[in-house]
Amino acid sequence: MFDRLEDIVLHYQELMNMLSEPDVANDSKRFGKLMKEQSDLLPIVEAYQKYKEAHNSIDDSLEILDEESDEEMREMAKEELAQARLQVEELEETLKILLLPKDPNDDKNVVVEIRAGAGGEEAALFAAELYRMYVHYTESCGWRVELIESEETGIGGMKKVNFMVTGNGAYSVLKYESGVHRVQRVPETESGGRIHTSTVTVAVMPEAEEVDIGEISENDYRIDVMRASGNGGQCVNTTDSAVRLTYFPENIVIYSQTEKSQLQNKNKAFALLRTKLYDLKLQRQQEKASEERLSQIGTGDRSEKIRTYNFPQGRVTDHRINLTLYKLEKVMDGDIQEILDALISADQAKRLSVMDEAS
């Protein structure tokens, strides 16, 4: 690990030297790429520097204890030694986490797809509530949310909704939300007051670029244009702005009508198609790499029941890490950072354990 850390420090210094060169500064594309690489390495370099300083402090304290006879000085050295040893242990764990292989998609924007599952209208209502929960959370992070596609019901529910989240590191955080979300409550439409259980599936997909999936052949898709329907602005039912994109090889159908112009809706539909194709590619890769999939915390299997929202008891339980919080109202208002932090920590711990076993 320490040989690798020394190599990282050397490479970081090389990057700093390159960024100061006039030729690099004048090439915005190259400069941006090097700045990104330098920014990614900075936390590792800083943690390693603190680690070496703590080690030096241990050596200094031990030297004082060997040479010093004054009892007060020896007590101070013992305290500093204990603090430095504790710091070294903590920084070793930090460095191990920082050196874990990074998901190449972590820095990407994401497309989130929410679908109502079992439970009929109640599932659609909860799907709409989950959508609002994610919108509130992502906006609190300073990220931008853009609606791509939605299929609403008459009483405020959503059978399906797709939206884009644009923000640095969005996928690294939101990827843990993929799976089946279960709700237990008395539906507003239920007169008998019985608690019902409904489900909603959430899929979090990294935004794909053409380089991720290759070129889409014109022979593989069909585009139909039509008038937008349902809730919307002035252009709904007045112009042929809505687009239906059908991709034959994977039987994917995308309906886009959220924008006023046909071209904008077409661009959104193709962006969603690329993302879905890239997501299928990643899922197939994960199925082959079963060991890697088992070492992850619920980012692979969409059919996995990951969380229960129990309204009568006001609790949220994440089943992957046995975490229960009694603050359902805050969670539904977008306060999900505590859950996400716990999932990230559990994922890191599991991956470290797998690495230790392999070594």
Side-chain angles (χ1 to χ4, degrees):
M1 180 175 86
F2 296 105
D3 287 342
R4 187 178 168 197
L5 285 165
E6 289 293 343
D7 289 340
I8 287 171
V9 170
L10 284 172
H11 184 52
Y12 180 83
Q13 290 168 347
E14 289 170 0
L15 286 171
M16 294 299 288
N17 292 333
M18 290 169 70
L19 286 166
S20 64
E21 293 174 4
D23 290 346
V24 174
N26 293 329
D27 185 342
S28 59
K29 191 173 181 181
R30 190 182 175 202
F31 185 80
K33 186 179 178 182
L34 293 175
M35 277 292 291
K36 174 69 172 61
E37 192 176 355
Q38 180 261 344
S39 176
D40 288 344
L41 294 180
L42 181 58
I44 302 174
V45 172
E46 287 181 338
Y48 186 41
Q49 183 62 39
K50 289 178 182 176
Y51 175 85
K52 288 195 288 188
E53 288 171 1
H55 247 298
N56 289 336
S57 182
I58 289 174
D59 293 339
D60 292 343
S61 298
L62 288 171
E63 189 177 337
I64 291 170
L65 287 171
D66 280 343
E67 298 174 356
E68 186 61 57
S69 58
D70 183 80
E71 198 56 39
E72 191 175 342
M73 289 291 290
R74 287 178 63 82
E75 282 302 315
M76 286 176 61
K78 285 177 183 177
E79 286 180 18
E80 288 179 5
L81 178 62
Q83 288 176 0
R85 280 177 170 163
L86 180 62
Q87 193 176 13
V88 162
E89 287 179 17
E90 291 173 349
L91 286 165
E92 274 186 2
E93 288 304 306
T94 299
L95 286 166
K96 283 180 184 178
I97 291 169
L98 289 170
L99 290 174
L100 282 171
K102 191 176 180 183
D103 187 332
N105 293 311
D106 273 355
D107 291 330
K108 290 190 174 184
N109 302 325
V110 299
V111 171
V112 182
E113 180 177 79
I114 303 174
R115 286 179 177 270
E121 191 62 55
E122 169 65 7
L125 285 168
F126 189 61
E129 289 175 55
L130 280 185
Y131 169 62
R132 286 190 289 273
M133 179 185 83
Y134 288 127
V135 168
H136 289 160
Y137 172 71
T138 52
E139 287 178 346
S140 73
C141 294
W143 297 339
R144 187 164 62 88
V145 180
E146 184 179 4
L147 183 64
I148 299 175
E149 177 187 21
S150 69
E151 187 179 343
E152 299 177 14
T153 65
I155 60 170
M158 286 178 160
K159 289 183 180 178
K160 179 179 70 172
V161 58
N162 283 284
F163 59 99
M164 168 85 75
V165 179
T166 304
N168 187 33
Y171 183 73
S172 69
V173 176
L174 292 174
K175 64 184 177 183
Y176 298 101
E177 292 301 291
S178 284
V180 177
H181 295 241
R182 184 175 69 170
V183 59
Q184 295 174 325
R185 65 182 177 187
V186 178
E188 292 179 17
T189 54
E190 176 62 55
S191 58
R194 293 179 297 128
I195 295 173
H196 282 222
T197 298
S198 305
T199 60
V200 171
T201 54
V202 176
V204 180
M205 302 168 281
E207 182 188 19
E209 300 172 11
E210 286 186 28
V211 68
D212 294 320
I213 58 165
E215 192 173 340
I216 298 172
S217 171
E218 291 184 8
N219 297 323
D220 289 340
Y221 67 84
R222 184 182 73 233
I223 295 176
D224 299 303
V225 296
M226 60 206 74
R227 292 194 175 181
S229 60
N231 297 328
Q234 294 179 357
C235 293
V236 171
N237 290 321
T238 62
T239 62
D240 293 332
S241 60
V243 170
R244 184 174 63 218
L245 173 61
T246 307
Y247 184 73
F248 305 117
E250 299 289 353
N251 195 28
I252 295 172
V253 179
I254 294 165
Y255 184 70
S256 179
Q257 68 166 27
T258 57
E259 300 297 330
K260 291 183 179 180
S261 86
Q262 187 184 117
L263 178 61
Q264 287 174 316
N265 283 322
K266 183 179 174 183
N267 289 340
K268 274 193 173 184
F270 271 105
L272 181 55
L273 175 62
R274 282 195 298 271
T275 295
K276 288 196 170 191
L277 291 176
Y278 184 46
D279 185 57
L280 282 170
K281 178 181 173 182
L282 292 175
Q283 284 185 59
R284 286 162 185 162
Q285 287 173 350
Q286 282 185 342
E287 284 167 10
K288 289 179 182 178
S290 56
E291 258 187 57
E292 182 185 341
R293 185 173 170 181
L294 286 170
S295 72
Q296 295 175 331
I297 299 286
T299 60
D301 190 353
R302 296 281 166 73
S303 63
E304 178 187 8
K305 182 186 74 178
I306 64 168
R307 196 174 298 149
T308 295
Y309 305 76
N310 186 297
F311 278 73
Q313 296 177 20
R315 66 172 168 84
V316 182
T317 299
D318 196 290
H319 305 289
R320 294 164 292 179
I321 53 175
N322 296 320
L323 173 70
T324 296
L325 300 176
Y326 288 90
K327 56 174 200 177
L328 178 60
E329 191 175 329
K330 287 185 176 180
V331 166
M332 296 311 300
D333 200 35
D335 185 5
I336 59 173
Q337 193 62 59
E338 186 176 351
I339 300 172
L340 293 172
D341 286 343
L343 286 164
I344 292 168
S345 296
D347 188 25
Q348 290 170 343
K350 195 168 183 180
R351 289 165 65 201
L352 282 172
S353 175
V354 170
M355 282 182 66
D356 289 341
E357 288 172 12
S359 61

